[in-house]
Amino acid sequence: MRRDARRGQGGGARRSAECRPAPAPAPAASVPSRPVRPVPFPPGPSPTPPGRGSPLLRGAPAAHGARKMEDYGRFLALLASALLVGFMSVILSLVWVFHYREGLSWDGSLGEFNWHPVLIITGFVFIQGIAIIVYRLPWTWKCSKVLMKFIHAGLNTIAMILAIVSMVAVFEFHNAKNIPNMYSLHSWIGLTAVIFYSLQLFLGFAVFLLPFAPVHLRIALMPIHVYSGLTIFATVIATALMGITEKLIFALKNPAYSASPPEATLVNCLGLLLVIFGSLILWMASRPHWKRPPAENAKILRPIAATPEGTEVESTMTNSNADKSDLRGNTEAARKQNIKFDEAGQRSTM
């Protein structure tokens, strides 16, 4: 009986073991994955995650779109108007001296004096105005800033040469006719404008064109350079208006200027064109949204030393929201500092 009981117990144990479900297989060992380093976003007001509208995916079209000018059509209309008005001013000055005066010559006669209004309007007004807005022409933004600096300086140099030749012409005419020099307000302000324009041109060459001036000096002098350039341009136009009015008062005797002869009407229209041209140039030069954008390939200055450890720290810091905001603030500060240097002539003024 004991044997039968043991057999029964053994058989029951075997049957219970056979009915027991098989143990679940052990899970496979997980392979440790390498941490994914976040992709640093380009500098800007706020980083954009890489998606459909991300600059990282758009590539070249994003860079092209950043160079689009705001109110492009209005700028073109004003530019075309300024060029048309300036060209008409030069034409009217030539009509004045050839039709109503004695033309152009260099023999001490009235023809030599006539070089003075023609060269002042052509160089000191028209060419100087184009030199002021040459940085704002949107199709030149793809050109190197150094090239645009040379164009800006070259146009101003041409204007300066023409202004000096016009001054020589009027002084030689006065000396040939025994007319006193430098007695009118027109001559005082005109000579002052030429002197300050010469200083402006020299400082522009020495500080902004040649690569010897330190960056902090360029930053300090840039607002003065821009303000003095616009002031000299407005002063030249005012002086030209005084000069043509003075010339009509002295030259028109019968009929007098007060009788409004055709010559007086023509020269008055010339003065109106000079005012319109100056207003258009000053308006285009003073609009901040028409300013040449910073170079898009400019390197962002790092707020801390540019070491590999610093780069690794920046990538690690993006794991938390608080560190993201700190990094964004540092990048924004560096971007503003780089743009500040850029506007001072450090990138490749007005």
Side-chain angles (χ1 to χ4, degrees), residues 65 238 316:
T316 307

Side-chain angles (χ1 to χ4, degrees), residues 20-228:
R20 186 181 304 155
S30 59
V31 180
S33 59
R34 299 177 61 184
V36 179
R37 298 177 60 182
V39 179
F41 300 114
S46 60
T48 304
R52 183 176 300 177
S54 174
L56 296 177
L57 299 183
R58 286 201 302 258
H64 176 72
R67 288 184 176 272
K68 290 183 178 179
M69 171 182 281
E70 183 180 350
D71 293 336
Y72 179 71
R74 183 180 302 177
F75 177 84
L76 288 184
L78 292 177
L79 177 63
S81 301
L83 293 176
L84 178 61
V85 172
F87 186 73
M88 289 178 59
S89 301
V90 176
I91 296 299
L92 283 186
S93 66
L94 292 173
V95 171
W96 178 29
V97 300
F98 279 102
H99 188 267
Y100 293 100
R101 296 292 121 191
E102 299 179 5
L104 298 173
S105 62
W106 201 272
D107 53 3
S109 63
L110 184 60
E112 184 173 356
F113 174 85
N114 290 339
W115 282 107
H116 182 68
V118 171
L119 294 182
I120 287 295
I121 294 174
T122 302
F124 224 18
V125 176
F126 182 63
I127 296 180
Q128 184 186 178
I130 301 303
I132 290 176
I133 63 172
V134 69
Y135 283 115
R136 308 216 164 197
L137 303 179
W139 49 85
T140 64
W141 290 353
K142 62 183 179 181
C143 301
S144 169
K145 185 63 183 292
V146 176
L147 174 62
M148 298 311 300
K149 284 183 178 182
F150 275 103
I151 295 177
H152 176 73
L155 291 175
N156 281 292
T157 302
I158 295 174
M160 185 67 209
I161 294 174
L162 296 181
I164 292 177
V165 173
S166 70
M167 296 286 292
V168 173
V170 72
F171 275 107
E172 286 192 1
F173 171 76
H174 283 179
N175 294 334
K177 300 298 182 180
N178 295 322
I179 300 175
N181 294 308
M182 302 302 299
Y183 65 90
S184 64
L185 182 61
H186 165 72
S187 60
W188 288 10
I189 299 180
L191 183 60
T192 303
V194 172
I195 293 174
F196 276 95
Y197 190 77
S198 303
L199 295 176
Q200 171 88 347
L201 188 61
F202 174 76
L203 292 178
F205 270 105
V207 177
F208 299 104
L209 188 61
L210 300 180
F212 305 117
V215 175
H216 64 85
L217 181 61
R218 298 184 180 187
I219 295 175
L221 292 182
M222 175 56 72
I224 302 176
H225 180 73
V226 174
Y227 175 79
S228 59

Side-chain angles (χ1 to χ4, degrees), residues 281-339:
I281 294 297
L282 293 176
W283 178 264
M284 288 187 290
S286 60
R287 300 303 94 188
H289 55 275
W290 288 340
K291 189 175 183 180
R292 178 186 172 102
E296 293 166 3
N297 58 350
K299 296 181 179 179
I300 299 299
L301 300 178
R302 298 185 182 274
I304 313 177
T307 59
E309 291 79 9
T311 305
E312 185 67 25
V313 169
E314 289 183 0
S315 300
T316 307
M317 286 173 63
T318 57
N319 294 329
S320 62
N321 293 332
D323 292 340
K324 280 183 180 180
S325 61
D326 294 340
L327 177 60
R328 189 181 306 139
N330 293 337
T331 305
E332 180 70 16
R335 186 177 68 87
K336 291 180 178 179
Q337 185 180 9
N338 185 72
I339 293 176

